[in-house]
Amino acid sequence: MLSDALLLLLGLVLLIAGGDLLVRGAVRIAGRLRLSPMLIGLTVVGMGTSMPELAASLQASLAGSPGIALGNIVGSNIANALLILGVAALITPIVVSTPSLWRDGGVGLFAALALIGAGATLGLSREVGIAFLFLMGGYIYYAYRQERVGAPHSAACDRAMAMEEIDRALIPPEKPEGRLWVALLLFVAGLSLIVGGGSFLVNAAIAIAKDLNVSDAVIGLTIVAVGTSVPELVTSAVAAYRKQGDIALGNVLGSNIYNILFIGGLTGAIAPTEVPASMMAFDLWVLVAVSILVMVLALSGRRLSRTEGIVLVAAYVIYAAHTAGLF
């Protein structure tokens, strides 16, 4: 049991470290291809920083463990909306842009409902995965157009900005710099760490579920989901500390959109899997409920206060305890 826990922790560390190296290399490569900084932020940074979650879900699906594959996605989104956003609001109250909340919160809510619809019909099939990826592409295109015309920042842009604030190396240089082979080496090294880390994490999570005599969905919804959400927790907390509450909120909303449409889409397209019945009966509806709750709380006073932050964190503790079977 202890060795499995250490392997799971090692897997998480490799996933996060590999994701960082991969994005650094990809940003440099994209810069050499003369892509615009805005486009690099929306695609390379936004998608690249989702690699830990993607690796965990994809490898779990390939290993025949839909509980971990879908649990990671659904559990991460619930943790984002309750735990991470709650912690950010505790650090500093978050002022909310109503148009942005309706737009990006609405897209996240639609994505959650689309996942429920998929689970009730085809499952996370190849057709559903491809459809999700088309929706993801449409959202990125829309976000890109919004930024070009000077509209309020989209959640996709806020997500990239939050990551770039934490790691300045992710900011695309104005002029290509460094050697191309170094960028390629960083990319390959990061990809290798992600593949290895994902394998360690998934195998350890399956073993821990057997040792504790619980379903793999429980491990996916809690330990794996929170572990792969650590980068979002750090970036949102730092943004809140710097009084950039709008970026903290956008990072959470953007992460939830990427998790379902990008990670869920690629997982379905490459390794189709079913949506576990337990998640269809409870956890996905919890995700829908908390998505609506965040929008209601934010719109009630056009801000998320520290008191509401306490409510969100407490709600996550209750959810996690219930999922773990503590009551």
Side-chain angles (χ1 to χ4, degrees):
M1 179 70 176
L2 179 60
S3 61
D4 290 330
L6 291 175
L7 282 175
L8 187 141
L9 180 60
L10 174 62
L12 286 172
V13 170
L14 291 177
L15 281 175
I16 294 171
D20 181 62
L21 289 177
L22 183 143
V23 177
R24 285 171 180 249
V27 166
R28 293 188 184 186
I29 294 170
R32 285 200 164 265
L33 294 176
R34 306 286 185 178
L35 298 181
S36 74
M38 187 191 311
L39 189 60
I40 292 174
L42 291 173
T43 55
V44 177
V45 176
M47 293 181 177
T49 49
S50 295
M51 283 298 151
E53 291 97 327
L54 174 61
S57 289
L58 184 56
Q59 292 199 39
S61 185
L62 289 170
S65 183
I68 294 176
L70 271 296
N72 178 43
I73 294 172
V74 176
S76 291
N77 280 20
I78 294 173
N80 283 344
L82 295 179
L83 177 63
I84 296 176
L85 195 56
V87 168
L90 283 173
I91 295 172
T92 187
I94 297 174
V95 178
V96 176
S97 168
T98 302
S100 298
L101 183 65
W102 277 118
R103 178 190 62 206
D104 301 308
V107 172
L109 179 59
F110 170 79
L113 291 171
L115 189 55
I116 290 176
T121 53
L122 300 174
L124 196 57
S125 65
R126 184 162 285 110
E127 294 80 7
V128 169
I130 292 173
F132 279 9
L133 290 175
F134 270 106
L135 290 172
M136 184 75 244
Y139 175 72
I140 290 177
Y141 176 74
Y142 173 77
Y144 180 74
R145 291 294 300 270
Q146 290 289 95
E147 297 298 320
R148 290 289 297 271
V149 300
H153 288 314
S154 65
C157 182
D158 283 335
R159 175 170 164 77
M161 290 171 62
M163 296 297 179
E164 291 167 355
E165 283 289 326
I166 293 293
D167 188 350
R168 308 300 290 179
L170 301 185
I171 299 177
E174 294 184 3
K175 295 181 179 180
E177 57 182 30
R179 297 181 181 275
L180 179 59
W181 70 266
V182 175
L184 291 171
L185 182 62
L186 286 174
F187 183 88
V188 172
L191 185 61
S192 300
L193 289 178
I194 286 173
V195 172
S199 179
F200 280 136
L201 182 141
V202 170
N203 291 334
I206 293 173
I208 290 172
K210 291 180 179 178
D211 291 337
L212 296 177
N213 196 28
V214 298
S215 70
D216 57 359
V218 171
I219 303 300
L221 287 162
T222 53
I223 298 174
V224 175
V226 172
T228 56
S229 295
V230 167
E232 280 77 15
L233 175 60
V234 173
T235 51
S236 290
V238 170
Y241 177 75
R242 294 176 176 171
K243 309 298 182 184
Q244 298 171 322
D246 55 334
I247 292 181
L249 176 62
N251 180 48
V252 166
L253 296 178
S255 177
N256 282 7
I257 293 169
Y258 278 83
N259 282 349
I260 294 179
L261 297 184
F262 174 56
I263 296 173
L266 268 181
T267 300
I270 297 173
T273 187
E274 62 182 8
V275 179
S278 60
M279 290 185 202
M280 285 294 298
F282 180 69
D283 303 285
L284 276 167
W285 294 105
V286 170
L287 175 57
V288 169
V290 299
S291 300
I292 295 173
L293 173 64
V294 168
M295 295 179 70
V296 170
L297 289 177
L299 290 173
S300 62
R302 295 191 177 181
R303 69 196 302 245
L304 279 173
S305 66
R306 287 191 173 91
T307 300
E308 290 167 334
I310 292 173
V311 171
L312 293 177
V313 172
Y316 183 75
V317 171
I318 293 171
Y319 166 76
H322 174 77
T323 301
L326 299 182
F327 65 86

